């Protein structure tokens, strides 16, 4: 299993947006935190299956590595951190 760190921010309208520090430009949202996490997992699976290479997939960094990145530290202010799981082996078998 591969885990990507996701940043979940509550938006002004009360919904939750999700971004991945290691996958720039990949964002989604949900009305609840749970829905946002589900949407993030689906989006991550889609990004992994993207065959034309339009989405840059960087290897996931550890929390320690991310905490040494000033951009992550700034982006994670007031965010909920979540680990979004992706079964890379199952995807590769398909």
């Amino acid at each position: 299993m591969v885990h990507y760190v996701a940043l979940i921010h509550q938006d002004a309208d009360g919904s939750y947006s999700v971004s991945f520090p290691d996958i720039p430009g990949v964002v989604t949202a949900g009305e609840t935190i749970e829905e946002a996490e589900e949407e993030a997992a689906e989006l991550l699976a889609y990004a992994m299956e993207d065959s034309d290479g339009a989405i840059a997939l960087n290897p996931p960094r550890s929390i320690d590595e991310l905490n040494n990145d000033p951009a992550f530290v700034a982006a994670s202010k007031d965010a909920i951190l979540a680990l979004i799981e992706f079964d890379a082996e199952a995807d590769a078998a398909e």
Side-chain angles (χ1 to χ4, degrees):
M1 292 286 179
V2 175
H3 294 85
Y4 277 88
V5 172
L7 298 176
I8 303 174
H9 288 94
Q10 187 168 23
D11 298 328
D13 66 359
S15 64
Y16 296 88
S17 61
V18 183
S19 62
F20 294 94
D22 289 324
I23 311 174
V26 174
V27 296
T28 190
E31 292 299 316
T32 65
I33 292 173
E34 293 80 13
E35 183 180 308
E37 289 176 329
E38 289 172 16
E39 293 291 328
E42 289 177 20
L43 184 60
L44 183 57
Y46 171 77
M48 294 294 185
E49 294 170 1
D50 180 34
S51 60
D52 64 6
I55 299 172
L57 293 176
N58 300 313
R61 292 179 283 172
S62 70
I63 293 291
D64 289 337
E65 291 170 316
L66 287 166
N67 280 329
N68 288 320
D69 178 352
F72 171 78
V73 172
S76 65
K77 252 191 159 126
D78 301 323
I80 298 167
L81 299 181
L83 288 177
I84 305 299
E85 184 176 90
F86 174 72
D87 188 351
E89 290 177 12
D91 186 55
E94 292 179 2

